[in-house]
Amino acid sequence: MEALLSSTTLQLKPLYPPSSFSSLHSPFSSISVLRVKGSKKAETFIQRSQFSTVLPLRVSASSQAAAAETSTSIAIPSEMKAWNYTDYGSVDVLKLESNVAVPDIKEDQVLIKVVAAALNPIDFKRRLGKFKATDSPLPTVPGYDVAGVVVKVGSQVKELKEGDEVYGDINEKAIDGPNQFGSLAEYTSVEEKLVALKPKNLSFAEAAALPLAIETAYEGLEKAGFSAGKSILVLGGAGGVGSLVIQLAKHVFGASKIAATSSTGKLELLKSLGADLAIDYTKENFEDLPDKFDVVYDSVGQGEKAVKAVKEGGSAVVLTGAVTPPGFRFVVTSNGEMLKKLNPYLESGKVKPVIDPKGPFPFDKVVDAFSYLETGRATGKVVIHPIP
């Protein structure tokens, strides 16, 4: 904010905001900004007269050069656009509705104006009815990953406030009663404990690519007892979870050696993420290699082969498919504290989200995004952005 005194009117479009306005990322329509040099205040006003409920809020942002205080007025509608389905099935069951009720919040929840969301394999498995016995009642608004702005807080919310930019996985238990109202909507509600402040250096689209995948990667490494000096093989290293397992193993856990598998065209990506050995699974059988590993992290469902690459006394994390000892499976638990713990690695740039180059997909192309994800060919995460 080192600028001469200036008054500017910005028409903000829901695209990646310029880095010079990183402290003013906003999903809303028109902002009049007064920027001043040094420590003077900047007032920002947002108005959307078509909405009936208006919530006042204040947001503070600071940098080494200046501190700015932003005063806004955000309106919350009673209805919203959202993707939903009323029966389980293929992508054909997905419908974009414009009159879905904005979800209420409980005392420990916040309401988020969604700016970006991301898809995970669990999203289409849920839609296919793979765990309907423990699912929430239909109709369902899908979506686990979210990045957006808090517009309302419950009476028992302790840390977050209106205007905070947050990200997280809105479902504490992935397959045990996930929320009926997910993140593929203009608004979603979530318990405060499941989200964290968005890393300052990341766009909303980049932040949305992280929560479920990075929590799965981290929790799996913890459960496997991974620690500094150990070696790891990551199956599916170019995927949403695998790409983060590589980075966390290297920068957070201190791995001594990292190997990972992918198809031919993604080997360089594996190396750029930190893999010491990039294995082309179309040409080599990883289980036949002489090297064995303390941990094999299987994100693609090759559990029977994975255990053949494990050292004696080691273990294999298996996310899907058959499990053979010493392999084990777990279901991730959403955890905002974990995101807070990992934020410094994200803000330093040591750990980075990987977004599939075909995206982000706009909100009206969610069916295309699901169809692409279900091919199994995505690199990193499939992101939905912008969300109106």
Side-chain angles (χ1 to χ4, degrees):
M1 297 186 62
E2 292 185 5
L4 296 176
L5 180 63
S6 63
S7 181
T8 309
T9 299
L10 305 176
Q11 293 294 328
L12 291 192
K13 297 180 180 180
L15 301 172
Y16 295 99
S19 59
S20 58
F21 295 100
S22 61
S23 63
L24 294 176
H25 291 184
S26 173
F28 304 104
S29 54
S30 178
I31 300 182
S32 178
V33 181
L34 177 65
R35 296 195 297 161
V36 296
K37 186 176 181 181
S39 60
K40 295 182 181 180
K41 295 182 178 179
E43 295 295 326
T44 301
F45 297 94
I46 303 175
Q47 292 182 336
R48 295 189 67 170
S49 59
Q50 67 266 42
F51 296 142
S52 58
T53 305
V54 179
L55 297 179
L57 59 92
R58 302 186 71 80
V59 188
S60 295
S62 61
S63 69
Q64 292 179 345
E69 194 172 80
T70 306
S71 177
T72 66
S73 180
I74 295 179
I76 301 174
S78 59
E79 295 183 338
M80 64 179 179
K81 293 180 181 179
W83 286 90
N84 68 10
Y85 52 88
T86 58
D87 199 2
Y88 295 110
S90 70
V91 292
D92 295 335
V93 302
L94 290 162
K95 306 297 179 186
L96 179 58
E97 306 288 353
S98 60
N99 59 349
V100 178
V102 172
D104 295 325
I105 60 171
K106 299 176 182 178
E107 291 181 343
D108 62 343
Q109 291 184 324
V110 298
L111 183 68
I112 297 174
K113 172 63 187 76
V114 182
V115 182
L119 302 184
N120 298 278
I122 197 169
D123 286 296
F124 70 77
K125 292 178 182 179
R126 180 186 184 189
R127 193 201 67 229
L128 290 170
K130 297 293 187 180
F131 53 93
K132 65 173 65 177
T134 58
D135 200 0
S136 56
L138 295 169
T140 295
V141 174
Y144 285 66
D145 288 326
V146 67
V149 179
V150 174
V151 293
K152 188 176 181 181
V153 300
S155 60
Q156 299 301 313
V157 170
K158 298 176 181 178
E159 297 181 10
L160 295 177
K161 61 185 183 302
E162 289 92 344
D164 282 342
E165 298 178 354
V166 297
Y167 75 127
D169 169 7
I170 68 170
N171 294 307
E172 183 171 14
K173 300 294 183 182
I175 63 175
D176 186 8
N179 290 352
Q180 186 176 11
F181 294 96
S183 59
L184 292 178
E186 291 182 286
Y187 294 86
T188 194
S189 58
V190 58
E191 291 87 342
E192 179 187 30
K193 67 181 180 179
L194 304 186
V195 297
L197 293 177
K198 178 177 72 66
K200 298 180 181 66
N201 60 316
L202 299 185
S203 69
F204 285 104
E206 290 168 332
L210 288 165
L212 189 147
I214 202 168
E215 290 172 345
T216 301
Y218 188 89
E219 188 175 344
L221 288 168
E222 275 199 327
K223 288 183 179 297
F226 197 71
S227 59
K230 292 187 176 181
S231 61
I232 186 170
L233 168 63
V234 184
L235 306 184
V241 173
S243 61
L244 289 163
V245 173
I246 293 172
Q247 296 180 78
L248 294 182
K250 182 178 183 69
H251 297 294
V252 180
F253 288 84
S256 62
K257 182 177 182 179
I258 302 172
T261 66
S262 75
S263 58
T264 309
K266 300 176 182 180
L267 296 176
E268 290 305 313
L269 172 63
L270 301 186
K271 295 176 184 176
S272 72
L273 294 173
D276 302 298
L277 175 64
I279 302 168
D280 186 344
Y281 70 76
T282 69
K283 298 177 180 178
E284 294 183 275
N285 296 319
F286 66 84
E287 69 273 22
D288 295 334
L289 296 175
D291 291 342
K292 304 302 176 185
F293 301 87
D294 294 300
V295 171
V296 177
Y297 201 119
D298 174 20
S299 67
V300 294
Q302 294 184 311
E304 293 183 359
K305 292 182 178 180
V307 296
K308 295 179 181 179
V310 176
K311 283 183 180 179
E312 185 176 351
S315 63
V317 184
V318 180
L319 297 185
T320 185
V323 180
T324 303
F328 69 91
R329 178 181 292 144
F330 76 100
V331 179
V332 66
T333 299
S334 177
N335 185 346
E337 290 300 318
M338 185 186 297
L339 296 178
K340 293 176 186 177
K341 181 177 181 178
L342 294 174
N343 269 359
Y345 296 95
L346 295 162
E347 292 183 335
S348 70
K350 291 181 178 178
V351 177
K352 301 175 182 179
V354 178
I355 297 177
D356 188 276
K358 289 188 180 293
F361 289 78
F363 190 55
D364 62 354
K365 299 297 183 182
V366 163
V367 171
D368 292 343
F370 264 106
S371 297
Y372 177 59
L373 177 66
E374 291 173 51
T375 66
R377 297 173 183 168
T379 300
K381 290 297 291 291
V382 175
V383 172
I384 310 299
H385 177 269
I387 295 178

